[in-house]
């Protein structure tokens, strides 16, 4: 199998399960409606786990453009495969979200609230403060990349790595996801947001494009900073792109703190 097809399949599995968890816990008439944040975070953790199990031995199961670019910045993969990976992941995000829409087909018209329906597909700030929302996505993805590299540096019983990564995703969701819904993955947010825009969802409202740049830019910068910090701390070196990511993240943090201090 092509590595690009593998990334498409893995991301499809991630978003089918993940968006279906969101739908189950939020759409009207669902048996799981209102089951809460713990179910949501555990569900997303398991979605990542099975996405990795499905194609990890073929493509490495990045299933996240921020993971792909961070590994390229660290010199662990070639830049030439990055565009194909990202396109495959984005298409998988659209298709996986479409499958979740089909899974709960009659529930959309039974749910009147437009924000609830959009929230099944993509993220938004719990408090709409763009600079702070951007920092949340940066920090969450930074922790993700550092965690993945730490996990990769250890030896586990064969086949357990995806479970450990799923646990990391659940932990990030429980600890950091309350501020923005923790996209920490451009394909996880942009793919389903495009699906929401395209699909004939009754009474769906806006796809909130004014927010869409945050869960794309934030993970790319935060992931790059995470890879740079890991290499700097554990190996004593980092790339010029890594330093640039760290600089952008520090600048964004300063801007967010200044904005908050003025409120």
């Amino acid at each position: 199998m092509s590595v690009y097809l593998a990334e498409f399949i893995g991301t499809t599995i991630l978003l089918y399960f993940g968006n279906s968890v969101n739908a189950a816990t939020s759409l009207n008439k669902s048996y799981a409606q209102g089951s809460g944040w713990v179910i949501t975070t555990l569900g997303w953790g398991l979605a990542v786990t099975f996405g990795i199990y499905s194609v990890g031995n073929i493509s490495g199961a990045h299933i996240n453009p921020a993971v792909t670019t961070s590994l390229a910045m660290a010199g662990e993969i070639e830049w030439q495969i990055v565009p194909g990976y990202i396109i495959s992941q984005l298409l998988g995000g659209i298709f996986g979200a479409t499958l979740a829409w089909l899974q709960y087909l009659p529930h959309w018209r039974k749910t009147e609230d437009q924000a609830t329906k959009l929230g099944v597909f993509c993220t938004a700030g719990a408090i709409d403060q763009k600079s702070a929302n951007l920092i949340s996505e940066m920090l969450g993805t930074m922790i993700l990349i550092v965690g993945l590299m730490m996990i990769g540096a250890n030896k586990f019983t064969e086949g357990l790595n995806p479970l450990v990564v799923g646990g990391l995703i659940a932990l990030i969701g429980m600890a950091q996801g309350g501020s923005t819904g923790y996209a920490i993955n451009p394909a996880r947010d942009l793919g389903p947001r495009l699906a929401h825009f395209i699909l004939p969802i009754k009474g769906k409202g806006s796809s909130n494009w004014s927010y869409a740049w945050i869960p794309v830019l934030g993970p790319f910068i935060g992931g790059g900073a995470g890879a740079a910090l890991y290499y700097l701390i554990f190996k004593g070196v980092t790339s010029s792109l890594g330093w640039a990511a760290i600089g952008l993240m520090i600048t964004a943090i300063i801007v967010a703190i200044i904005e908050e201090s003025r409120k």
Side-chain angles (χ1 to χ4, degrees), residues 228-243:
L229 287 172
Y230 178 86
Y231 267 74
L232 190 62
I233 293 168
F234 288 93
K235 302 187 179 183
V237 295
T238 197
S239 67
S240 57
L241 285 174
W243 282 116

Side-chain angles (χ1 to χ4, degrees), residues 22-252:
N22 288 352
T25 57
S26 59
L27 295 182
N28 288 347
K29 304 296 184 179
S30 164
Y31 287 126
Q33 186 182 22
S35 51
W37 191 243
V38 172
I39 295 298
T40 299
T41 55
L42 289 176
W44 277 97
L46 289 171
V48 169
T49 293
F50 282 94
I52 296 172
Y53 272 130
S54 65
V55 296
N57 65 329
I58 300 169
S59 66
H62 298 179
I63 58 178
N64 181 342
V67 171
T68 301
T69 55
S70 297
L71 291 175
M73 289 172 65
E76 296 195 9
I77 62 171
E78 297 293 330
W79 277 104
Q80 65 187 21
I81 70 171
V82 170
Y85 265 58
I86 292 176
I87 291 169
S88 301
Q89 291 154 356
L90 181 60
L91 293 175
I94 296 171
F95 189 55
T98 301
L99 293 177
W101 167 68
L102 289 171
Q103 180 75 50
Y104 286 87
L105 192 59
H107 293 261
W108 304 101
R109 60 181 169 81
K110 294 290 185 179
T111 304
E112 295 182 1
D113 187 69
Q114 295 177 350
T116 297
K117 285 185 273 198
L118 179 60
V120 170
F121 290 88
C122 51
T123 64
I127 297 174
D128 186 13
Q129 188 169 320
K130 299 295 193 299
S131 60
N133 300 152
L134 181 65
I135 295 307
S136 294
E137 287 296 326
M138 287 181 177
L139 288 174
T141 315
M142 182 187 75
I143 295 299
L144 170 65
I145 299 301
V146 170
L148 290 176
M149 290 185 168
M150 287 179 173
I151 291 168
N154 290 276
K155 293 183 179 179
F156 296 89
T157 301
E158 186 175 356
L160 286 184
N161 289 63
L163 283 170
V164 178
V165 173
L168 173 62
I169 297 295
L171 177 60
I172 291 172
M174 292 176 186
Q176 299 171 285
S179 55
T180 61
Y182 80 120
I184 60 174
N185 179 344
R188 173 265 174 273
D189 191 276
L190 182 58
R193 196 181 297 269
L194 286 167
H196 177 272
F197 178 75
I198 295 166
L199 292 171
I201 303 166
K202 187 176 179 62
K204 65 182 176 180
S206 166
S207 299
N208 194 14
W209 290 108
S210 65
Y211 183 84
W213 64 276
I214 289 174
V216 173
L217 183 62
F220 278 128
I221 296 175
L229 287 172
Y230 178 86
Y231 267 74
L232 190 62
I233 293 168
F234 288 93
K235 302 187 179 183
V237 295
T238 197
S239 67
S240 57
L241 285 174
W243 282 116
I246 292 171
L248 286 171
M249 189 166 178
I250 291 172
T251 302

